[in-house]
Amino acid sequence: MPLQRRQRCDPGQPAGSTVSLASNRTRSLRVLSMGRRDCPSGGVLKEHLFSSLLVGDIELGHILQQVDEISRTLRLDIPENQKLSNALRLTVSCAVRQTLLERELRSMALTDDLTGLYNRRGFFASATQQLRLARRNTQESLLFFCDVDNLKKINDSYGHGEGDLALVRAAEALERTFRDSDVLARLGGDEFAVLALEASSQYQEVILRRLKTNLEKSSASESRYQLSLSVGVGRFDPMCPASLRELMAQADQVMYEQKGKRASFLGNQA
């Protein structure tokens, strides 16, 4: 699942535009359909946000349709009607700008600008809900806690731009490894976390091998250094459930134990 970037777009014509309300409505609806995802993968939280956005889009669409219908009944050669038409056009433009701003604020609150994954806030919100569902449905899950090896050395040797690229490449490898339904996040700095839903411990090594393969593919195009992650894994047992923070602490401890032994990719069961 490739990373998606923000696309900036003009939210609508200014109030004095000579463009008809009908064409303005069509353009406004097209603008609303553009842009990046407001939220990366993450189950219930993502579905809730998408549902809220869909309801808002439908409501705005109805308003734009009503404006269009009203505009068709107006005789624009009458000054009062011309004023009303301009006011309706301004209302449409403001409504579209407000909708786009709300989408952007949602995105900024939950996602990491560099990688497009969840940030810490988004991860805790979504993963906590997913663990509640896992407990209710008696489903195992795995929590992977990772960090990029030698990021400081990459920054010192090749510059912070290259360090940022290493983080983006690590995020891409994680996205290729895990499913859309899993919850992926960059927690900050060089740290990443993934909650793999409905994944039992018997699939842990399969996932780790797939991640290692994807990291090696990413490194094949970069000859200056080998991109690698240190990984710790925590298991969520619905019969003896742990909190998200407890799972992260468990996986984090294993990760750092292994990181001290070997400065390359390594995953071990917590």
Side-chain angles (χ1 to χ4, degrees):
M1 181 176 59
L3 296 175
Q4 301 190 25
R5 303 299 179 193
R6 258 189 212 94
Q7 298 182 29
R8 300 194 180 276
C9 31
D10 180 9
Q13 295 289 344
S17 171
T18 58
V19 178
S20 70
L21 284 174
S23 63
N24 196 8
R25 171 177 173 269
T26 301
R27 184 170 183 272
S28 299
L29 292 176
R30 178 178 58 82
V31 169
L32 286 174
S33 69
M34 294 174 63
R36 72 193 294 277
R37 284 179 307 170
D38 293 84
C39 194
S41 59
V44 171
L45 182 61
K46 179 182 72 173
E47 292 172 3
H48 174 72
L49 286 177
F50 281 178
S51 176
S52 298
L53 289 170
L54 179 59
V55 170
D57 285 355
I58 291 173
E59 291 177 350
L60 181 56
H62 288 161
I63 293 172
L64 294 176
Q65 184 176 7
Q66 292 173 11
V67 168
D68 188 25
E69 292 172 352
I70 292 173
S71 69
R72 294 177 185 275
T73 68
L74 296 177
R75 290 183 55 188
L76 299 183
D77 57 335
I78 301 175
E80 289 75 11
N81 287 351
Q82 182 65 53
K83 291 180 181 179
L84 178 58
S85 176
N86 290 337
L88 290 174
R89 188 180 294 113
L90 178 60
T91 300
V92 168
S93 180
C94 290
V96 172
R97 282 201 300 271
Q98 183 68 20
T99 299
L100 293 174
L101 177 60
E102 289 176 357
R103 286 190 170 197
E104 188 71 8
L105 289 175
R106 285 190 182 99
S107 176
M108 290 173 62
L110 296 172
T111 61
D112 173 57
D113 279 345
L114 180 64
T115 64
L117 303 181
Y118 272 130
N119 59 19
R120 180 178 290 270
R121 177 183 298 179
F123 179 75
F124 270 86
S126 183
T128 298
Q129 293 186 47
Q130 292 291 354
L131 287 180
R132 290 189 187 127
L133 288 175
R135 179 178 183 179
R136 186 183 310 159
N137 299 326
T138 62
Q139 295 172 334
E140 290 185 46
S141 294
L142 296 174
L143 188 138
F144 295 77
F145 195 90
C146 325
D147 76 5
V148 179
D149 293 323
N150 301 315
L151 183 62
K152 184 179 185 303
K153 185 175 181 180
I154 294 172
N155 284 329
D156 293 344
S157 301
Y158 307 112
H160 287 274
E162 187 64 39
D164 286 348
L165 180 58
L167 293 170
V168 170
R169 290 166 56 213
E172 290 172 342
L174 289 169
E175 287 196 301
R176 288 193 297 269
T177 300
F178 292 92
R179 301 164 298 178
D180 288 351
S181 58
D182 296 331
V183 187
L184 286 74
R186 179 190 173 210
L187 301 178
D190 60 358
E191 294 182 338
F192 294 82
V194 180
L195 180 62
L197 305 171
E198 301 180 31
S200 63
S201 55
Q202 63 180 319
Y203 295 111
Q204 176 179 316
E205 292 304 322
V206 174
I207 294 172
L208 290 173
R209 285 196 298 270
R210 187 161 63 231
L211 177 56
K212 184 174 182 179
T213 298
N214 286 326
L215 287 168
E216 289 172 348
K217 289 179 180 178
S218 180
S219 295
S221 60
E222 178 54 69
S223 60
R224 290 182 293 180
Y225 61 89
Q226 179 78 21
L227 181 65
S228 62
L229 297 177
S230 292
V231 183
V233 185
R235 174 178 170 268
F236 178 78
D237 182 356
M239 306 309 296
C240 186
S243 69
L244 178 60
R245 291 188 181 276
E246 290 170 337
L247 284 176
M248 291 183 67
Q250 183 185 32
D252 185 38
Q253 180 179 357
V254 174
M255 182 195 71
Y256 274 103
E257 288 175 356
Q258 296 302 330
K259 193 175 183 69
K261 299 176 183 178
R262 178 182 173 190
S264 62
F265 176 89
L266 183 61
N268 283 272
Q269 185 172 356

